[in-house]
C-alpha cells in the first residue's frame, strides 16, 4: 500500500492544531513529520508476509520441545494508538519428521506481527497460528506478557500492570503434563 505522506502531514497538522497545539512554536514545528515517521516505523510489519518468514524449514530429526523465550517487542494498540511492550515466549513440539525452523525466525515472526495495529490477544494467536501453519508441529504454546500504555498513562492509570495471554495448540492443549512442562520452562528464570 502506498503512503500518501503529504496528506498524512496535513491531517496530522490539522489534528494537532485542533487539540490546541501551536505548531508555530519552534519545538513543535516538525512534530507532524516526526509523528508520521514514528508511526510508519512502528507499523512496517503490516506490509510483510509472516508465513514467508517461516517458509524455510530444516530436517533436524529433533522431536523434543523447542523454546524461544523473552522475545522483546513493542506494538501499537489499535484502540488508542498507544504502545504496548512486552515479551513473547514460544514453544513447539516438532512433528514426527522432526522439522524445525531457524530460532531467529521465531523472533522475526514476533517482530513482524507486532509491527502493525494489534491487540495482545490476537498477536498471541497469530504467532501460534503461523508456527502451526509452517511446521505442522505436534503442539504450539505461546505466552505473551505486556504492559499497555493505554492502561498505565491514561484511563485507570496503573503503571506496572501487565497482561498475560496464551495460545495453546495440539498436544499442549490436550496433555496437561506436557503443557505444564512447557509452561515451567517458558516462565522459569525469565530472560
Amino acid at each position: 500500500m502506498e503512503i500518501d505522506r503529504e496528506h498524512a502531514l496535513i491531517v496530522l497538522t490539522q489534528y494537532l492544531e485542533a487539540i490546541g497545539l501551536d505548531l508555530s512554536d519552534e519545538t513543535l514545528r516538525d512534530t507532524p513529520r516526526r509523528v508520521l515517521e514514528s508511526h510508519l516505523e512502528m507499523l512496517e510489519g503490516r506490509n510483510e508476509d509472516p508465513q514467508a518468514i517461516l517458509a524455510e524449514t530444516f530436517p533436524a530429526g529433533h522431536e523434543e520441545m523447542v523454546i524461544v523465550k523473552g522475545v522483546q517487542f513493542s506494538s501499537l494498540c489499535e484502540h488508542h494508538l498507544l504502545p504496548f511492550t512486552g515479551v513473547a515466549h514460544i514453544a513447539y513440539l516438532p512433528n514426527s519428521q522432526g522439522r524445525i525452523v531457524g530460532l531467529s525466525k521465531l523472533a522475526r515472526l514476533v517482530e513482524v506481527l507486532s509491527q502493525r495495529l494489534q491487540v495482545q490477544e490476537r498477536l498471541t494467536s497469530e504467532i501460534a497460528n503461523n508456527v502451526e501453519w509452517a511446521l505442522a508441529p505436534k503442539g504450539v504454546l505461546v505466552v505473551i506478557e505486556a504492559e499497555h500504555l493505554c492502561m498505565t498513562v491514561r484511563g485507570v492509570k496503573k503503571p506496572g500492570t501487565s497482561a498475560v495471554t496464551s495460545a495453546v495448540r495440539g498436544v499442549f492443549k490436550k496433555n496437561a503434563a506436557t503443557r505444564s512442562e512447557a509452561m515451567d520452562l517458558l516462565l522459569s528464570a525469565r530472560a
Side-chain angles (χ1 to χ4, degrees):
M1 178 178 161
E2 192 167 324
I3 306 299
D4 186 345
R5 290 174 185 270
E6 186 177 321
H7 181 69
L9 286 172
I10 290 168
V11 171
L12 282 166
T13 298
Q14 290 173 339
Y15 165 71
L16 294 171
E17 288 173 343
I19 63 171
L21 298 179
D22 178 8
L23 296 186
S24 67
D25 182 311
E26 182 180 343
T27 62
L28 298 176
R29 191 172 299 130
D30 206 28
T31 296
R33 183 198 58 77
R34 288 191 296 265
V35 169
L36 175 62
E37 295 303 323
S38 67
H39 279 148
L40 290 176
E41 180 182 339
M42 289 186 283
L43 297 173
E44 64 189 5
R46 73 191 193 291
N47 298 318
E48 293 190 49
D49 177 8
Q51 292 182 357
I53 295 166
L54 302 179
E56 185 177 8
T57 63
F58 307 97
H62 184 78
E63 293 184 51
E64 302 300 320
M65 208 175 303
V66 176
I67 296 175
V68 174
K69 63 184 187 175
V71 179
Q72 296 183 0
F73 72 89
S74 60
S75 190
L76 277 179
C77 166
E78 67 184 27
H79 300 136
H80 301 99
L81 293 183
L82 289 172
F84 64 97
T85 59
V87 293
H89 313 290
I90 304 167
Y92 73 92
L93 196 56
N95 62 26
S96 58
Q97 286 80 42
R99 294 195 70 82
I100 60 168
V101 68
L103 298 174
S104 68
K105 301 300 183 185
L106 295 172
R108 179 78 180 123
L109 177 67
V110 172
E111 179 181 19
V112 164
L113 291 173
S114 65
Q115 289 180 332
R116 45 186 72 186
L117 291 180
Q118 275 291 9
V119 294
Q120 182 175 331
E121 297 86 345
R122 184 174 59 241
L123 175 60
T124 308
S125 293
E126 286 178 350
I127 294 167
N129 292 344
N130 277 280
V131 172
E132 191 171 45
W133 169 85
L135 294 171
K138 293 177 186 171
V140 179
L141 177 63
V142 177
V143 175
I144 291 183
E145 302 172 86
E147 183 171 350
H148 295 249
L149 263 63
C150 58
M151 275 183 57
T152 63
V153 300
R154 60 156 304 277
V156 296
K157 296 180 183 165
K158 299 297 179 202
T161 302
S162 65
V164 179
T165 52
S166 66
V168 185
R169 309 283 189 270
V171 69
F172 293 120
K173 190 170 196 165
K174 296 174 188 168
N175 185 309
T178 304
R179 182 175 55 252
S180 180
E181 177 188 359
M183 290 297 283
D184 286 348
L185 291 169
L186 282 177
L187 301 178
S188 66
R190 294 189 176 140

